[in-house]
């Protein structure tokens, strides 16, 4: 069976590619290497088909989808601050690009499209844990673009019978996540800072919490979502159901690395939510999803992979 992984050169995409190849599946990647890296695909280049191109081009997406049975759509500009600085490009890539993927998938009679959505669509409501029945309240252009993507997924299912599944990822982390961009997520930024002997910068008081999700859980969710009969047309949370504050992350990094870590506290960032914590019962019921790698193990493996990469 042929899988198309859009954004396959990215952090999550390349982890999906690796697992699909381990399972003996055929894999094609569509990526323009804007935030992803060629080095993420280096070990797999002999085993995949690589289409270098932009999901904003319908023609390119159409060619890349040809012959695929399942599309795991991960390509996007994945950052809240980037979307605040440049909402138009975020919209073009995340919303128009997603519509291109759906239109091409319909034309080529793809069986199922799985979409990388985001917990950011919930916004800052006080109710915890976040569950799929809550009314979304996006606080950034990025979150709006992901909500629009979900709505297009559902409309394509209802109108055209194309099976779609949207997975709302909660703060994913793990090997190959980019630590170097001004838009990088907190865990790779902090690990890179600690290993280099620099102070991590905390936005706010550090008591904000996240449901950090090790990437293997997200990979497994994508693979189940490509098959599970009851998941067609659905939207569901993918997380670990664990609440970890930024200050706890810093303590855990001290313990795991044995280094002195002196964080610097700055003002909270616009568009950031205070607490994020998921109800994952829907994914458990529809996908048989489970938290296979928990917080402490996932963080240890991530620190080890970053330490290895910095010595190689
Ligand atoms: N990492 C997280 O915590 C998280 C949380 C929620 C949702 N997501 C979503 O998961 C997906 C993967 O995120 P990631 O963390 O691996 O980010 P990433 O930046 O590592 O991966 C995104 C990939 O998409 C590619 N891409 C970007 N624009 C493109 C374009 N116009 N055409 C073709 N390819 C393009 C990039 O080159 C990159 O390889 C994204 O859709 C993101 O919004 C991630």
């Amino acid at each position: 069976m042929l899988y198309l992984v859009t954004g396959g050169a990215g952090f999550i995409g390349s982890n999906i590619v690796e697992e699909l190849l381990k399972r003996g599946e055929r894999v094609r990647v569509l990526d323009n290497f804007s935030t992803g890296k060629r080095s993420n695909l280096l070990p797999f280049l002999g085993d995949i088909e690589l289409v270098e191109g932009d999901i904003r081009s319908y023609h390119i997406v159409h060619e890349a989808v040809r012959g695929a049975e399942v599309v795991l759509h991960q390509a996007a500009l994945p950052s809240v601050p980037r979307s605040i600085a440049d909402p138009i490009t975020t919209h073009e890539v995340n919303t128009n690009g997603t519509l291109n993927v759906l239109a091409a998938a319909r034309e080529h009679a793809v069986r199922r499209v799985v979409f990388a959505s985001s917990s950011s669509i919930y916004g800052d409501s006080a109710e915890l844990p976040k569950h799929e029945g809550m009314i979304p309240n996006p606080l950034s252009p990025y979150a709006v673009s992901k909500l629009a993507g979900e709505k297009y997924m559902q409309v394509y299912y209802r109108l055209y019978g194309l099976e779609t599944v949207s997975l709302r990822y909660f703060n994913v982390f793990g090997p190959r996540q980019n630590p170097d961009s001004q838009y990088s997520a907190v865990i790779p930024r902090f690990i890179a800072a600690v290993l280099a002997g620099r102070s991590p910068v905390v936005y706010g008081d550090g008591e904000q919490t996240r449901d950090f999700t090790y990437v293997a859980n997200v990979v497994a969710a994508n693979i189940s979502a490509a098959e599970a009969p009851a998941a067609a047309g659905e939207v569901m949370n993918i997380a670990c159901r664990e609440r970890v504050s930024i200050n706890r992350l810093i303590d855990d990094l001290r313990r795991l690395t044995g280094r002195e870590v002196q964080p610097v506290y700055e003002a909270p960032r616009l568009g950031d939510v205070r607490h994020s914590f998921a109800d994952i019962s829907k994914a458990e019921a529809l996908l048989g999803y489970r938290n296979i790698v928990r917080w402490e193990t996932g963080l240890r493996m991530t620190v080890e992979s970053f330490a290895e990469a910095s010595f190689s």
Side-chain angles (χ1 to χ4, degrees), residues 65-203:
V65 168
R66 189 186 298 279
E69 186 174 330
V70 168
V71 178
L72 303 178
H73 177 40
Q74 312 297 313
L77 289 177
S79 153
V80 166
R82 184 199 295 269
S83 79
I84 293 171
D86 181 2
I88 290 178
T89 310
T90 292
H91 178 86
E92 287 171 352
V93 174
N94 296 8
T95 309
N96 299 353
T98 295
L99 186 55
N100 283 340
V101 168
L102 283 167
R106 180 185 169 212
E107 208 164 309
H108 287 298
V110 163
R111 181 170 56 76
R112 197 170 276 201
V113 178
V114 180
F115 173 57
S117 185
S118 161
S119 59
S120 62
I121 64 111
Y122 287 112
D124 217 357
S125 66
E127 188 180 346
L128 291 175
K130 312 279 189 204
H131 62 84
E132 296 84 350
M134 289 167 69
I135 295 172
N137 181 27
L139 298 179
S140 65
Y142 170 74
V144 171
S145 75
K146 287 290 172 182
L147 185 57
E150 286 187 0
K151 295 294 179 196
Y152 273 124
M153 290 285 147
Q154 288 190 312
V155 159
Y156 263 71
Y157 178 60
R158 288 180 192 142
L159 287 183
Y160 309 120
L162 170 62
E163 292 184 4
T164 61
V165 186
S166 294
L167 303 179
R168 289 180 179 161
Y169 305 162
F170 281 64
N171 294 79
V172 189
F173 72 101
R176 292 200 283 272
Q177 192 166 22
N178 181 6
D180 301 325
S181 150
Q182 59 170 316
Y183 299 124
S184 289
V186 59
I187 292 183
R189 268 196 296 117
F190 278 22
I191 297 177
V194 170
L195 292 179
R198 287 183 273 110
S199 292
V201 176
V202 178
Y203 299 107

